[in-house]
Amino acid sequence: MEKKISDPLMRPVGNKSKSWLYRHTVGAAKSAGAGKSALFTVVFIAFVIYALLLIIPFAWILINSFKDPIDFGKNKWSISFSAGFQNYIEAFNYKVKNTSVLQMYLNSLLVVGGGVVVTLVSCTLASYTMAKYKFRGRGIIYNVVIVSMMVPIVGTLPAQYRLMQNLGLVDNIIGVWFLYSGGFGFNFLFLYSYFKSISWTYAEAAMIDGASDFRIFIQIMVPMAKPALTAVGVLTFMGLWCDYQTPYFYLNSMPTIALGLKDMSDQLAYNPNYPLVLATAVMATIPILVLFCVFQKTIMNNMTVGGLKG
């Protein structure tokens, strides 16, 4: 006997279930009451408008990256592929301060990859220690972290640059990694909350079997916090990939793709070739889009915590 499907939104249409989009839009509105349905419609329209505001600029950049400068100057809103992939080919060979765009890509991978590693290590150690161990001054440290997040970056930049200069870390990739290694900030607060939600019962059971604090951290807590660590790693990568200010001040001899875009715009100021700049911008955005598409489910579900029930 065929099992009856209790959820009306999951009843099959022909041989297939209704699509995810239908169930979460039209189906959700029908299943709600009149008041909730009206509110759902307003919120849905607001999010559609917001999505269009994000998509339209990127679509404009993508379309214009296939135009030649003359066609771009005539009509910036027309759909044309007059240059084909020539702008992308030229962008790969284009040099800014004797550095090609391809080399900037490699520089970005090296700088950002190392930055993500040191950020994850420092933030994980700091947040786990604060969340799971009680010691004198813990509350003061937490309050200092919150207050320090309110101080604008510009306000601390002169002192930071003087410190890096005295340490001999200006124009040194290790110095940039050192700046990225701060264990506090948003990543700290996020991981602190995540570790706080993990039950200490697991650690107590491991302690009975003779496990050390370090082994508990490496073999129990870190694997359980993998969703949060993945989300932090992806978001950190995206943030550092788009950061041009830090390489601008501390890594002039090794420009990243974000810094290269800025320098390219300055270099072409007197002989504008905007399609070339836009093609380079599209190339710089591709890793971010791919990374987000691959890990979007992990990012959205990063608050789900494995643990004990009851």
Side-chain angles (χ1 to χ4, degrees), residues 22-247:
Y22 179 88
R23 288 187 286 110
H24 287 78
T25 54
V26 179
K30 287 182 178 179
S31 63
K36 290 184 178 180
S37 179
L39 179 61
F40 177 87
T41 303
V42 172
V43 173
F44 180 76
I45 293 174
F47 275 103
V48 168
I49 294 174
Y50 178 71
L52 289 175
L53 292 175
L54 296 178
I55 294 173
I56 290 175
F58 182 77
W60 183 86
I61 292 173
L62 182 63
I63 292 172
N64 284 288
S65 67
F66 292 99
K67 295 180 181 179
D68 56 48
I70 298 176
D71 193 12
F72 176 81
K74 289 180 179 179
N75 191 344
K76 298 177 178 61
W77 293 97
S78 64
I79 298 177
S80 172
F81 300 93
S82 55
F85 289 94
Q86 184 60 37
N87 291 324
Y88 290 89
I89 297 173
E90 186 177 347
F92 262 113
N93 299 321
Y94 191 87
K95 288 189 176 183
V96 180
K97 296 181 179 179
N98 298 322
T99 305
S100 65
V101 172
L102 182 59
Q103 184 61 45
M104 292 177 192
Y105 253 100
L106 298 177
N107 292 345
S108 292
L109 289 175
L110 184 60
V111 173
V112 175
V116 170
V117 172
V118 297
T119 297
L120 282 176
V121 171
S122 61
C123 289
T124 302
L125 292 173
S127 59
Y128 175 74
T129 303
M130 291 284 293
K132 292 302 183 184
Y133 292 95
K134 295 181 179 180
F135 53 89
R136 187 175 298 175
R138 185 178 67 164
I140 297 176
I141 296 175
Y142 186 85
N143 291 329
V144 169
V145 172
I146 300 297
V147 172
S148 64
M149 293 178 66
M150 302 178 186
V151 179
I153 298 177
V154 178
T156 61
L157 188 58
Q160 184 184 82
Y161 188 84
R162 178 60 65 87
L163 174 63
M164 295 291 289
Q165 198 172 41
N166 292 338
L167 293 175
L169 295 177
V170 176
D171 207 10
N172 189 328
I173 190 173
I174 297 177
V176 175
W177 289 343
F178 175 76
L179 290 175
Y180 290 151
S181 66
F184 299 112
F186 170 78
N187 292 336
F188 165 80
L189 294 178
F190 178 77
L191 292 176
Y192 173 85
S193 301
Y194 202 96
F195 280 120
K196 199 79 173 175
S197 65
I198 298 178
S199 175
W200 190 244
T201 306
Y202 300 107
E204 292 175 345
M207 288 177 181
I208 294 176
D209 293 335
S212 63
D213 289 336
F214 183 74
R215 187 175 181 182
I216 292 171
F217 170 69
I218 294 296
Q219 295 186 353
I220 297 178
M221 294 299 174
V222 170
M224 293 184 68
K226 186 178 178 180
L229 294 174
T230 302
V232 168
V234 172
L235 294 175
T236 301
F237 184 95
M238 295 169 67
L240 298 185
W241 185 270
C242 300
D243 176 31
Y244 77 90
Q245 178 176 284
T246 303

Side-chain angles (χ1 to χ4, degrees), residues 194-300:
Y194 202 96
F195 280 120
K196 199 79 173 175
S197 65
I198 298 178
S199 175
W200 190 244
T201 306
Y202 300 107
E204 292 175 345
M207 288 177 181
I208 294 176
D209 293 335
S212 63
D213 289 336
F214 183 74
R215 187 175 181 182
I216 292 171
F217 170 69
I218 294 296
Q219 295 186 353
I220 297 178
M221 294 299 174
V222 170
M224 293 184 68
K226 186 178 178 180
L229 294 174
T230 302
V232 168
V234 172
L235 294 175
T236 301
F237 184 95
M238 295 169 67
L240 298 185
W241 185 270
C242 300
D243 176 31
Y244 77 90
Q245 178 176 284
T246 303
Y248 177 77
F249 283 107
Y250 301 105
L251 206 61
N252 278 321
S253 64
M254 192 176 176
T256 60
I257 188 66
L259 179 59
L261 274 171
K262 176 195 173 299
D263 291 339
M264 178 184 287
S265 300
D266 296 340
Q267 190 167 301
L268 294 174
Y270 299 101
N271 186 20
N273 188 349
Y274 293 108
L276 177 62
V277 178
L278 295 178
T280 310
V282 172
M283 292 166 54
T285 310
I286 289 175
I288 301 297
L289 294 177
V290 172
L291 200 65
F292 181 78
C293 290
V294 172
F295 292 100
Q296 62 173 327
K297 185 175 292 185
T298 302
I299 295 174
M300 298 304 177

